[in-house]
Amino acid sequence: MNRYLIAEAVGGLMEMPEFSYNNPQVIEANSRDESINIYNKKNNCSYFYGTCMAENINGDLQVINKAVKYEWIELIK
């Protein structure tokens, strides 16, 4: 299983055009899409949804979203 760092993306609205990211969680799954689906179901996401911030595949850590916080990267190592 691969490890994915997923966080809820909030924003993209006229009154809040910039995105912020909350509630980071490490999700183990076979793919990035599967990890996002698991996150959304686990957290009952219905308006704002999870997005992949980083992934750890076979020990190879890749940052996907430049807004990821350093503390969050430590969660997925």
Side-chain angles (χ1 to χ4, degrees):
M1 284 276 182
N2 301 316
R3 300 179 70 191
Y4 298 89
L5 179 65
I6 310 296
E8 183 180 34
V10 177
L13 305 170
M14 187 176 4
E15 60 274 11
M16 187 191 336
E18 299 297 321
F19 281 94
S20 64
Y21 302 93
N22 307 305
N23 193 22
Q25 297 174 18
V26 175
I27 305 290
E28 291 190 5
N30 293 315
S31 69
R32 190 183 301 174
D33 288 340
E34 181 184 6
S35 67
I36 292 170
N37 288 334
I38 291 169
Y39 179 94
N40 289 335
K41 287 179 186 174
K42 179 179 176 185
N43 294 287
N44 299 315
C45 296
S46 61
Y47 191 73
F48 296 115
Y49 295 92
T51 188
C52 187
M53 304 297 284
E55 60 188 14
N56 188 336
I57 299 175
N58 299 322
D60 183 25
L61 180 63
Q62 296 290 321
V63 173
I64 306 298
N65 187 316
K66 293 179 183 178
V68 68
K69 297 178 182 178
Y70 178 77
E71 304 86 51
W72 295 1
I73 294 294
E74 292 298 313
L75 298 171
I76 197 171
K77 283 187 175 179

Coordinates of all heavy atoms in Angstrom, one line a residue:
M1 N 0.8 -1.2 0.0 CA 0.0 0.0 0.0 C 0.9 1.2 0.0 O 1.9 1.3 0.6 CB -0.9 0.1 1.3 CG -2.0 -0.9 1.3 SD -3.4 -0.1 0.4 CE -4.6 -1.3 0.7
N2 N 0.4 2.2 -0.7 CA 1.1 3.5 -0.8 C 0.5 4.4 0.3 O -0.7 4.2 0.7 CB 0.9 4.1 -2.1 CG 1.5 3.2 -3.2 OD1 2.6 2.7 -3.0 ND2 0.8 3.1 -4.3
R3 N 1.2 5.5 0.7 CA 0.7 6.4 1.7 C 0.5 7.8 1.0 O 1.4 8.3 0.3 CB 1.7 6.5 2.8 CG 1.9 5.2 3.5 CD 2.9 5.3 4.6 NE 2.3 6.1 5.7 CZ 2.9 6.6 6.7 NH1 4.2 6.3 6.8 NH2 2.3 7.3 7.6
Y4 N -0.6 8.4 1.3 CA -0.9 9.7 0.7 C -1.3 10.7 1.8 O -2.0 10.3 2.7 CB -2.1 9.5 -0.3 CG -1.8 8.6 -1.4 CD1 -2.1 7.3 -1.4 CD2 -1.3 9.1 -2.6 CE1 -1.8 6.4 -2.4 CE2 -1.0 8.3 -3.7 CZ -1.2 7.0 -3.6 OH -0.9 6.1 -4.6
L5 N -0.8 11.9 1.7 CA -1.2 12.9 2.6 C -2.4 13.7 2.0 O -2.2 14.4 0.9 CB 0.0 13.9 2.9 CG -0.3 15.0 3.8 CD1 -0.6 14.5 5.2 CD2 0.9 16.0 3.9
I6 N -3.5 13.6 2.6 CA -4.7 14.3 2.0 C -5.2 15.3 3.0 O -5.1 15.1 4.2 CB -5.9 13.3 1.8 CG1 -5.4 12.0 1.1 CG2 -7.1 13.9 1.2 CD1 -5.0 12.3 -0.4
A7 N -5.6 16.5 2.5 CA -6.1 17.6 3.3 C -7.4 18.1 2.6 O -7.5 18.1 1.4 CB -5.1 18.7 3.5
E8 N -8.2 18.7 3.4 CA -9.5 19.3 2.9 C -9.1 20.7 2.3 O -8.5 21.5 2.9 CB -10.5 19.5 3.9 CG -11.8 20.0 3.5 CD -12.8 20.2 4.6 OE1 -12.4 20.5 5.7 OE2 -14.0 20.0 4.3
A9 N -9.5 20.9 1.0 CA -9.2 22.2 0.3 C -10.5 23.0 0.5 O -11.6 22.6 0.1 CB -8.9 21.9 -1.2
V10 N -10.3 24.2 1.1 CA -11.4 25.1 1.3 C -11.1 26.4 0.6 O -10.0 27.0 0.7 CB -11.6 25.4 2.8 CG1 -12.6 26.4 3.1 CG2 -11.8 24.1 3.6
G11 N -12.1 26.8 -0.2 CA -11.9 28.1 -1.0 C -12.4 27.9 -2.4 O -13.1 27.0 -2.7
G12 N -11.9 28.8 -3.3 CA -12.3 28.8 -4.7 C -13.6 29.4 -4.9 O -14.2 29.2 -6.0
L13 N -14.1 30.2 -4.0 CA -15.4 30.8 -4.1 C -15.2 32.3 -4.3 O -14.1 32.9 -4.0 CB -16.2 30.6 -2.8 CG -16.4 29.2 -2.3 CD1 -16.9 29.2 -0.9 CD2 -17.3 28.5 -3.3
M14 N -16.2 33.0 -4.8 CA -16.0 34.4 -5.0 C -15.6 35.2 -3.7 O -14.8 36.0 -3.8 CB -17.4 35.0 -5.5 CG -17.2 36.5 -6.0 SD -18.6 37.3 -6.7 CE -19.9 36.1 -6.7
E15 N -16.2 34.8 -2.6 CA -15.9 35.5 -1.4 C -14.6 35.0 -0.7 O -14.1 35.6 0.2 CB -17.1 35.4 -0.4 CG -17.5 34.0 0.0 CD -18.5 33.3 -1.0 OE1 -18.7 33.8 -2.1 OE2 -19.0 32.2 -0.6
M16 N -14.1 33.9 -1.2 CA -12.9 33.3 -0.7 C -12.1 32.6 -1.9 O -12.1 31.4 -2.0 CB -13.2 32.2 0.4 CG -11.9 31.8 1.1 SD -12.0 30.3 2.2 CE -13.6 30.2 2.8
P17 N -11.5 33.4 -2.7 CA -10.9 32.8 -3.9 C -9.6 32.0 -3.6 O -9.4 31.1 -4.4 CB -10.6 34.1 -4.8 CG -10.5 35.2 -3.8 CD -11.4 34.9 -2.7
E18 N -8.9 32.3 -2.6 CA -7.7 31.6 -2.3 C -8.0 30.3 -1.5 O -9.0 30.3 -0.7 CB -6.7 32.4 -1.4 CG -6.3 33.7 -2.1 CD -5.5 33.4 -3.4 OE1 -4.7 32.5 -3.4 OE2 -5.6 34.2 -4.3
F19 N -7.3 29.3 -1.8 CA -7.5 28.0 -1.1 C -6.7 27.9 0.2 O -5.6 28.5 0.3 CB -7.1 26.8 -2.0 CG -8.1 26.5 -3.0 CD1 -8.0 27.0 -4.3 CD2 -9.2 25.6 -2.7 CE1 -8.9 26.7 -5.2 CE2 -10.1 25.3 -3.6 CZ -10.0 25.8 -4.9
S20 N -7.3 27.3 1.2 CA -6.6 26.9 2.4 C -6.8 25.5 2.6 O -7.7 24.9 2.1 CB -7.0 27.7 3.6 OG -8.4 27.5 3.9
Y21 N -5.9 24.8 3.4 CA -6.0 23.4 3.6 C -6.1 23.0 5.0 O -5.3 23.6 5.8 CB -4.8 22.7 2.9 CG -4.7 23.1 1.4 CD1 -4.0 24.2 1.0 CD2 -5.4 22.4 0.5 CE1 -3.9 24.5 -0.3 CE2 -5.4 22.7 -0.8 CZ -4.6 23.8 -1.3 OH -4.6 24.1 -2.6
N22 N -7.0 22.1 5.4 CA -7.2 21.8 6.8 C -7.3 20.3 6.9 O -7.5 19.5 6.0 CB -8.6 22.3 7.2 CG -8.7 23.8 7.0 OD1 -7.9 24.6 7.4 ND2 -9.8 24.2 6.2
N23 N -7.2 19.8 8.2 CA -7.4 18.4 8.6 C -6.6 17.4 7.8 O -7.1 16.5 7.1 CB -8.9 18.1 8.5 CG -9.3 16.8 9.2 OD1 -8.5 16.3 10.0 ND2 -10.4 16.2 8.8
P24 N -5.3 17.6 7.8 CA -4.4 16.6 7.1 C -4.5 15.2 7.7 O -4.5 15.1 8.9 CB -3.0 17.2 7.1 CG -3.0 18.0 8.5 CD -4.4 18.5 8.6
Q25 N -4.5 14.2 6.8 CA -4.5 12.8 7.3 C -3.7 12.0 6.3 O -3.7 12.3 5.1 CB -5.9 12.3 7.4 CG -6.8 13.0 8.4 CD -8.3 12.5 8.3 OE1 -8.5 11.5 7.8 NE2 -9.2 13.3 8.8
V26 N -3.0 11.0 6.8 CA -2.3 10.0 6.0 C -3.3 8.9 5.7 O -3.8 8.3 6.6 CB -1.0 9.5 6.7 CG1 -0.4 8.4 5.9 CG2 -0.1 10.7 7.0
I27 N -3.5 8.6 4.4 CA -4.4 7.6 4.0 C -3.6 6.5 3.2 O -2.8 6.9 2.3 CB -5.5 8.1 3.1 CG1 -6.3 9.3 3.8 CG2 -6.4 7.0 2.6 CD1 -7.2 8.9 4.9
E28 N -3.7 5.3 3.6 CA -3.1 4.2 2.8 C -4.1 3.7 1.8 O -5.2 3.3 2.1 CB -2.6 3.1 3.8 CG -1.5 3.5 4.7 CD -0.9 2.4 5.4 OE1 -1.3 1.2 5.2 OE2 0.0 2.7 6.3
A29 N -3.6 3.6 0.5 CA -4.5 3.2 -0.6 C -3.6 2.7 -1.7 O -2.4 2.9 -1.7 CB -5.4 4.3 -1.0
N30 N -4.2 2.2 -2.7 CA -3.5 1.7 -3.9 C -3.3 2.8 -4.9 O -2.4 2.7 -5.8 CB -4.3 0.6 -4.6 CG -4.4 -0.6 -3.7 OD1 -3.3 -1.0 -3.2 ND2 -5.5 -1.2 -3.6
S31 N -4.0 3.9 -4.9 CA -3.9 5.0 -5.8 C -4.2 6.3 -5.2 O -4.9 6.4 -4.1 CB -4.7 4.8 -7.1 OG -6.1 4.9 -6.7
R32 N -3.9 7.4 -5.8 CA -4.2 8.7 -5.3 C -5.7 9.0 -5.3 O -6.2 9.5 -4.3 CB -3.5 9.8 -6.2 CG -3.6 11.2 -5.7 CD -3.0 12.2 -6.6 NE -1.6 11.9 -6.9 CZ -0.9 12.6 -7.8 NH1 -1.4 13.6 -8.5 NH2 0.4 12.3 -8.0
D33 N -6.4 8.6 -6.4 CA -7.8 8.7 -6.4 C -8.5 7.9 -5.3 O -9.5 8.4 -4.7 CB -8.4 8.3 -7.8 CG -8.0 9.3 -8.9 OD1 -7.7 10.5 -8.6 OD2 -8.1 8.9 -10.1
E34 N -8.1 6.7 -5.1 CA -8.7 5.9 -4.0 C -8.5 6.6 -2.6 O -9.4 6.6 -1.8 CB -8.0 4.5 -4.0 CG -8.6 3.6 -3.0 CD -8.0 2.2 -2.9 OE1 -7.0 2.0 -3.6 OE2 -8.5 1.4 -2.1
S35 N -7.3 7.1 -2.4 CA -7.0 7.8 -1.1 C -7.9 9.0 -0.9 O -8.4 9.2 0.2 CB -5.5 8.2 -1.0 OG -5.2 9.2 -1.9
I36 N -8.2 9.7 -2.0 CA -9.0 10.9 -1.9 C -10.5 10.5 -1.6 O -11.2 11.0 -0.7 CB -9.0 11.8 -3.1 CG1 -7.6 12.4 -3.2 CG2 -10.1 12.8 -3.2 CD1 -7.3 13.1 -4.6
N37 N -10.9 9.4 -2.2 CA -12.3 8.9 -2.0 C -12.4 8.4 -0.5 O -13.5 8.6 0.1 CB -12.6 7.8 -3.0 CG -12.8 8.3 -4.4 OD1 -13.2 9.4 -4.6 ND2 -12.6 7.4 -5.3
I38 N -11.4 7.7 0.0 CA -11.4 7.2 1.3 C -11.5 8.4 2.3 O -12.3 8.4 3.2 CB -10.2 6.4 1.7 CG1 -10.3 5.0 0.9 CG2 -10.0 6.1 3.2 CD1 -9.0 4.2 0.9
Y39 N -10.7 9.4 2.1 CA -10.7 10.7 2.9 C -12.1 11.3 2.9 O -12.6 11.6 4.0 CB -9.6 11.6 2.4 CG -9.6 12.9 3.2 CD1 -8.7 13.1 4.2 CD2 -10.4 14.0 2.9 CE1 -8.6 14.2 5.0 CE2 -10.4 15.2 3.6 CZ -9.5 15.3 4.6 OH -9.4 16.5 5.4
N40 N -12.6 11.5 1.7 CA -13.9 12.2 1.6 C -15.0 11.4 2.3 O -15.9 12.0 3.0 CB -14.3 12.4 0.1 CG -13.5 13.4 -0.5 OD1 -12.9 14.3 0.1 ND2 -13.3 13.3 -1.8
K41 N -15.1 10.1 2.2 CA -16.1 9.3 2.9 C -15.8 9.3 4.4 O -16.8 9.4 5.2 CB -16.0 7.8 2.4 CG -16.6 7.7 1.0 CD -16.5 6.2 0.5 CE -17.0 6.2 -0.9 NZ -16.8 4.8 -1.5
K42 N -14.6 9.1 4.8 CA -14.3 9.1 6.3 C -14.7 10.4 7.0 O -15.1 10.4 8.1 CB -12.8 8.9 6.4 CG -12.3 8.9 7.8 CD -10.8 8.6 7.8 CE -10.2 8.7 9.2 NZ -8.7 8.5 9.2
N43 N -14.5 11.6 6.2 CA -14.8 12.9 6.8 C -16.1 13.5 6.4 O -16.4 14.7 6.7 CB -13.6 13.8 6.5 CG -12.3 13.4 7.2 OD1 -12.2 13.5 8.4 ND2 -11.4 12.8 6.4
N44 N -17.0 12.7 5.8 CA -18.3 13.2 5.3 C -18.2 14.5 4.5 O -19.0 15.4 4.8 CB -19.2 13.3 6.5 CG -19.4 12.0 7.2 OD1 -19.7 11.0 6.6 ND2 -19.4 12.0 8.5
C45 N -17.3 14.5 3.6 CA -17.1 15.8 2.8 C -18.3 15.9 1.8 O -18.6 14.9 1.1 CB -15.8 15.7 2.0 SG -14.3 15.7 3.1
S46 N -18.9 17.0 1.8 CA -20.0 17.2 0.9 C -20.0 18.5 0.2 O -20.7 18.7 -0.8 CB -21.4 17.1 1.7 OG -21.4 18.1 2.7
Y47 N -19.2 19.5 0.6 CA -19.1 20.8 -0.1 C -17.6 21.0 -0.5 O -17.3 21.3 -1.7 CB -19.6 21.9 0.7 CG -19.8 23.2 0.0 CD1 -20.8 23.3 -1.0 CD2 -18.9 24.2 0.2 CE1 -21.0 24.5 -1.7 CE2 -19.1 25.4 -0.6 CZ -20.1 25.5 -1.5 OH -20.2 26.7 -2.2
F48 N -16.7 21.0 0.5 CA -15.3 21.0 0.2 C -14.8 19.6 0.3 O -15.2 18.8 1.1 CB -14.6 21.9 1.2 CG -15.0 23.4 1.1 CD1 -15.7 24.0 2.1 CD2 -14.8 24.1 0.0 CE1 -16.1 25.3 2.0 CE2 -15.1 25.4 -0.2 CZ -15.8 26.0 0.9
Y49 N -13.8 19.3 -0.5 CA -13.3 17.9 -0.6 C -11.8 17.8 -0.4 O -11.1 18.8 -0.5 CB -13.6 17.4 -2.0 CG -15.1 17.3 -2.2 CD1 -15.8 18.3 -2.8 CD2 -15.8 16.1 -1.8 CE1 -17.2 18.2 -3.0 CE2 -17.2 16.0 -2.0 CZ -17.9 17.1 -2.6 OH -19.2 17.0 -2.7
G50 N -11.4 16.6 -0.2 CA -9.9 16.3 0.0 C -9.1 16.5 -1.2 O -9.7 16.2 -2.3
T51 N -7.9 16.8 -1.1 CA -7.0 16.9 -2.2 C -5.6 16.3 -1.7 O -5.3 16.4 -0.6 CB -6.8 18.4 -2.7 OG1 -6.0 18.3 -3.9 CG2 -6.1 19.2 -1.7
C52 N -4.9 15.8 -2.7 CA -3.6 15.1 -2.3 C -2.5 16.2 -2.2 O -2.3 17.0 -3.1 CB -3.2 14.1 -3.4 SG -1.8 13.1 -3.0
M53 N -1.9 16.2 -1.1 CA -0.8 17.2 -0.8 C 0.6 16.6 -1.1 O 1.5 17.2 -1.5 CB -0.9 17.7 0.6 CG -2.2 18.3 1.0 SD -2.7 19.7 0.1 CE -1.6 20.9 0.8
A54 N 0.7 15.3 -0.8 CA 2.0 14.6 -1.0 C 1.7 13.1 -1.0 O 0.7 12.6 -0.6 CB 3.0 14.9 0.1
E55 N 2.7 12.3 -1.6 CA 2.5 10.9 -1.6 C 3.9 10.2 -1.3 O 4.9 10.8 -1.6 CB 2.0 10.4 -3.0 CG 2.8 10.8 -4.2 CD 2.2 10.5 -5.5 OE1 1.0 10.3 -5.6 OE2 2.9 10.5 -6.5
N56 N 3.8 9.1 -0.7 CA 5.0 8.3 -0.4 C 4.7 6.9 -1.0 O 4.0 6.1 -0.5 CB 5.2 8.2 1.1 CG 6.5 7.5 1.5 OD1 7.0 6.7 0.7 ND2 6.9 7.8 2.7
I57 N 5.4 6.7 -2.2 CA 5.2 5.4 -2.9 C 6.5 4.6 -2.8 O 7.5 5.1 -3.4 CB 4.8 5.7 -4.4 CG1 3.4 6.4 -4.4 CG2 4.7 4.4 -5.1 CD1 2.9 6.8 -5.7
N58 N 6.5 3.5 -2.1 CA 7.7 2.7 -2.0 C 8.9 3.5 -1.4 O 10.0 3.3 -1.9 CB 8.1 2.0 -3.3 CG 7.0 1.1 -3.8 OD1 6.3 0.4 -3.0 ND2 6.8 1.0 -5.1
G59 N 8.6 4.4 -0.5 CA 9.7 5.2 0.1 C 10.1 6.4 -0.7 O 11.0 7.2 -0.3
D60 N 9.5 6.6 -1.9 CA 9.8 7.8 -2.7 C 8.8 8.9 -2.4 O 7.6 8.8 -2.8 CB 9.7 7.4 -4.2 CG 10.1 8.6 -5.1 OD1 10.8 9.5 -4.7 OD2 9.7 8.5 -6.3
L61 N 9.2 9.9 -1.7 CA 8.3 11.0 -1.2 C 8.2 12.0 -2.3 O 9.2 12.6 -2.8 CB 8.8 11.6 0.1 CG 8.0 12.7 0.6 CD1 6.6 12.2 1.0 CD2 8.7 13.3 1.9
Q62 N 7.0 12.4 -2.8 CA 6.7 13.4 -3.8 C 5.7 14.4 -3.2 O 4.7 14.0 -2.7 CB 6.2 12.8 -5.0 CG 7.1 11.8 -5.7 CD 8.2 12.5 -6.4 OE1 8.1 13.6 -6.9 NE2 9.4 11.9 -6.3
V63 N 6.1 15.7 -3.2 CA 5.2 16.7 -2.9 C 4.3 17.1 -4.1 O 4.9 17.4 -5.1 CB 5.9 18.0 -2.3 CG1 5.0 19.1 -2.1 CG2 6.7 17.6 -1.1
I64 N 3.0 17.0 -3.9 CA 2.1 17.3 -5.0 C 1.6 18.7 -5.0 O 1.5 19.4 -6.1 CB 0.9 16.4 -4.9 CG1 1.3 14.9 -4.8 CG2 -0.1 16.6 -6.1 CD1 2.0 14.4 -6.0
N65 N 1.4 19.3 -3.9 CA 0.9 20.6 -3.7 C 1.9 21.5 -3.0 O 2.3 21.1 -1.8 CB -0.5 20.6 -2.9 CG -1.2 21.9 -2.9 OD1 -0.6 22.9 -2.6 ND2 -2.5 21.8 -3.1
K66 N 2.3 22.6 -3.5 CA 3.3 23.4 -2.9 C 2.9 24.1 -1.6 O 3.7 24.6 -0.9 CB 3.8 24.5 -3.9 CG 4.5 23.9 -5.1 CD 4.9 25.0 -6.1 CE 5.6 24.4 -7.3 NZ 5.9 25.4 -8.3
A67 N 1.6 24.1 -1.3 CA 1.1 24.7 -0.1 C 1.2 23.8 1.1 O 0.9 24.2 2.2 CB -0.4 25.1 -0.3
V68 N 1.8 22.6 0.9 CA 1.9 21.6 2.0 C 2.8 22.2 3.1 O 3.8 22.8 2.8 CB 2.4 20.2 1.5 CG1 3.8 20.3 1.0 CG2 2.2 19.2 2.6
K69 N 2.5 22.0 4.3 CA 3.3 22.5 5.4 C 4.3 21.4 5.8 O 4.1 20.2 5.7 CB 2.4 22.7 6.7 CG 1.4 23.8 6.4 CD 0.5 24.1 7.6 CE -0.5 25.1 7.3 NZ -1.4 25.3 8.4
Y70 N 5.5 21.9 6.2 CA 6.6 21.0 6.6 C 6.2 20.0 7.6 O 6.5 18.8 7.6 CB 7.8 21.8 7.1 CG 8.9 21.0 7.5 CD1 9.8 20.4 6.5 CD2 9.2 20.7 8.8 CE1 10.8 19.6 6.9 CE2 10.2 19.9 9.2 CZ 11.0 19.3 8.3 OH 12.1 18.5 8.6
E71 N 5.4 20.5 8.6 CA 4.9 19.6 9.7 C 4.1 18.4 9.1 O 4.1 17.3 9.7 CB 4.1 20.3 10.8 CG 4.8 21.5 11.4 CD 4.6 22.7 10.6 OE1 3.5 23.1 10.3 OE2 5.6 23.4 10.4
W72 N 3.4 18.7 8.1 CA 2.5 17.7 7.5 C 3.4 16.6 6.7 O 3.0 15.5 6.7 CB 1.5 18.3 6.5 CG 0.5 19.2 7.2 CD1 0.4 19.5 8.5 CD2 -0.5 19.9 6.5 NE1 -0.6 20.4 8.7 CE2 -1.2 20.6 7.5 CE3 -0.9 20.0 5.2 CZ2 -2.3 21.4 7.2 CZ3 -2.0 20.8 4.9 CH2 -2.7 21.5 5.9
I73 N 4.5 17.1 6.1 CA 5.4 16.1 5.4 C 5.9 15.1 6.4 O 6.1 13.9 6.1 CB 6.5 16.9 4.8 CG1 6.0 17.8 3.6 CG2 7.6 15.9 4.2 CD1 5.4 17.0 2.5
E74 N 6.2 15.5 7.6 CA 6.7 14.6 8.7 C 5.7 13.5 8.9 O 6.1 12.4 9.3 CB 7.0 15.4 10.0 CG 8.2 16.3 9.9 CD 9.5 15.6 9.5 OE1 9.8 14.6 10.2 OE2 10.2 16.1 8.6
L75 N 4.4 13.7 8.7 CA 3.4 12.7 9.0 C 3.5 11.5 8.0 O 3.1 10.4 8.3 CB 2.0 13.3 8.8 CG 1.6 14.4 9.8 CD1 0.2 15.0 9.4 CD2 1.5 13.8 11.2
I76 N 4.0 11.8 6.8 CA 3.9 10.8 5.7 C 5.2 10.1 5.5 O 5.3 9.1 4.8 CB 3.5 11.4 4.4 CG1 3.0 10.4 3.4 CG2 4.5 12.3 3.8 CD1 2.4 10.9 2.2
K77 N 6.3 10.5 6.2 CA 7.6 9.9 6.0 C 7.6 8.5 6.5 O 7.0 8.1 7.4 CB 8.7 10.7 6.7 CG 9.1 11.9 5.9 CD 10.2 12.6 6.6 CE 10.7 13.8 5.7 NZ 11.8 14.5 6.3

